[in-house]
Amino acid sequence: MTTNEFWINVLGVLSTKLTEQNFYTWVEPMRFQQKSEDDVTLSVPSRFMKDIVEKRYLEVIEETVTRLEGKKLAIRIVVDSGEDLSPVSDNDAPEKLQTDQGEDELVLEAESSAQPHQRHAAHTMSHHVLSPRYTFESFVVGNSNEFAHAGALAVANKPGTTYNPLFVYGGVGLGKTHLMQAIGNTIFQKKPDARIVYVQSEVFTNEMINALKNGKIEEFRRRYRYVDVLLIDDIQFIAGKDRTQEEFFHTFNALHGEKKQIVLSSDKFPREIPDLEERLRSRFEWGLIGDIKPPDLETKLAILRKKAESIELDLPQDVALFIAKAIKNNIRELEGCLNRINAFNQLTGVDLSIDVIKSVLKDILMDTERVISSDDIQRHVAQYHNLRVNDLKSKNRSAELSYARHIAMYLCRKLTNMSLPQIGREFGGRDHSTVVHAIKSVEARYNSDDKFKIELESIENQVMN
């Protein structure tokens, strides 16, 4: 394997492990310098970027290199501008700025002083700033996401009036962040002076903790309560954090009362988020809730065609079909595959065929071939219903257990190649007629009960992802 091929493979794997925005902001700009028997050297354009990469992404880079090389190599990050690489003092460290501003605020301040056409360029300084890559034009609409897309578009056109809050939920890598940031970008284009904040919920929590510790909670509140649009990604992570939930409750009320737009994303429906306060749960359901499901084959093909066109890659139809069938659920993995294929094509000039693609994507394809087992399904169903796996296999026929057991049997039939008798044996030796009854009852309820439909799809997404 040449050094170019080595780095292409590393980037290809990393693009499937990280969000698109984090990948293109922090990882893709790095340049491969050299690989020895003991280490790999990568360069970055600034000390700031070096500190962020070492703090947040060094571990995943090391894991990827170890996996591809079959041995552990040290990763060295250097600055290619000739800056002194001595350790950064506390006064200079991005995470310990001796000012009233967090990392996000420095970026927003830099943007506000820039010319309108320069503002989006500042996104390279922080992954919390809107990325110009995420637009409605670049979002591929299909059966799996059309409702969430329509809601997001309505909010972008009439923020604070149409659906407030907008709550978007779905599995990992399905486009929630894309839709959220498309809303922000659209509002920004129409109203460049709008105060728009996009942040991940964990950052919100960390900033609040630091504000409390440093006696600057009022400044934190002004930062989040005096905005026109608040976009918070992965809101489920505030669950179980009492002080954060209290603070966000009042932030939500302040913004909603002033008709300022709130957009939230989560991996679960509000009522399925464990340890979330009821008062927040009810508020999350005030507006519109839109779900994003794994894409069907047609949508995956459309995504591949659109992405290939945007990067000027000539992707044969049979190759596109092979990739769409191989990558089951995750759009992020789909685009990561295409990025790797494009890099390979540019460096080698080799015509793309299915055999070539199998070689280029062999490690990714091995990962996607993970077989879902009845153990996987039983574990997820039991966890969702606060039961033990042994409860599902027991002779207990209580309503609660039968309900969960039927769901698990249905998913075993849908997601595995097990026969009806095999499924029955996995649930305490039940006969195939019991399994048939369970499957039919789940299908009937799925078609008539919207709440049950949401629950079933949520469990299935957890199993698949």
Side-chain angles (χ1 to χ4, degrees), residues 146-164:
E146 58 184 350
F147 183 70
H149 173 268
L153 195 58
V155 163
N157 289 327
K158 291 185 178 181
T161 60
T162 307
Y163 303 115
N164 201 17

Side-chain angles (χ1 to χ4, degrees), residues 406 410 433-447 452:
H406 285 181
Y410 168 84
S433 62
T434 301
V435 179
V436 171
H437 170 72
I439 293 170
K440 288 184 176 179
S441 66
V442 169
E443 288 175 342
R445 190 162 185 175
Y446 180 87
N447 294 323
F452 177 77

Side-chain angles (χ1 to χ4, degrees), residues 18-29:
L18 303 173
T19 66
E20 183 179 19
Q21 188 174 8
N22 287 350
F23 176 78
Y24 281 105
T25 301
W26 301 111
V27 175
E28 196 270 343

Side-chain angles (χ1 to χ4, degrees), residues 214-359:
N214 298 321
K216 295 177 179 178
I217 192 63
E218 289 305 319
E219 294 173 15
F220 169 84
R221 288 168 179 164
R222 285 197 296 273
R223 187 181 308 161
Y224 285 101
R225 296 185 189 182
Y226 294 92
V227 300
D228 298 306
V229 182
L230 178 61
L231 308 149
I232 297 195
D233 224 341
D234 291 323
I235 195 66
Q236 73 271 10
F237 290 124
I238 72 170
K241 301 180 175 75
D242 294 342
R243 189 65 181 84
T244 303
Q245 292 190 84
E246 174 78 17
E247 195 61 43
F248 186 70
F249 172 76
H250 294 295
T251 298
F252 184 103
N253 287 346
L255 293 174
H256 197 275
E258 292 296 321
K259 298 190 185 312
K260 304 302 183 181
Q261 182 65 51
I262 303 166
V263 182
L264 309 170
S265 83
S266 171
D267 63 348
K268 298 179 181 68
F269 189 76
R271 294 199 171 275
E272 297 170 0
I273 301 175
D275 301 320
L276 182 67
E277 292 181 359
E278 183 58 35
R279 58 181 180 172
L280 283 177
R281 200 187 313 274
S282 64
R283 279 164 174 75
F284 291 173
E285 297 177 6
W286 277 358
L288 180 70
I289 299 177
D291 66 323
I292 301 182
K293 304 181 187 70
D296 55 25
L297 181 63
E298 291 75 13
T299 302
K300 287 189 285 186
L301 284 170
I303 291 169
L304 287 170
R305 283 195 293 267
K306 194 176 189 81
K307 178 78 173 179
E309 183 180 335
S310 71
I311 59 179
E312 298 182 351
L313 173 67
D314 184 14
L315 189 68
Q317 181 64 22
D318 62 333
V319 171
L321 185 61
F322 173 78
I323 298 170
K325 287 182 176 180
I327 306 301
K328 304 298 182 185
N329 301 297
N330 196 313
I331 294 173
R332 190 180 301 158
E333 288 185 353
L334 203 65
E335 294 185 338
C337 288
L338 209 57
N339 290 332
R340 182 187 289 199
I341 291 167
N342 187 46
F344 174 84
N345 182 252
Q346 289 180 344
L347 287 170
T348 66
V350 173
D351 291 338
L352 299 180
S353 66
I354 291 178
D355 287 339
V356 169
I357 296 306
K358 285 180 178 178
S359 175

Side-chain angles (χ1 to χ4, degrees), residues 95 205-216:
E95 296 294 320
T205 297
N206 291 336
E207 289 186 359
M208 185 207 71
I209 292 170
N210 289 332
L212 287 169
K213 183 172 63 177
N214 298 321
K216 295 177 179 178

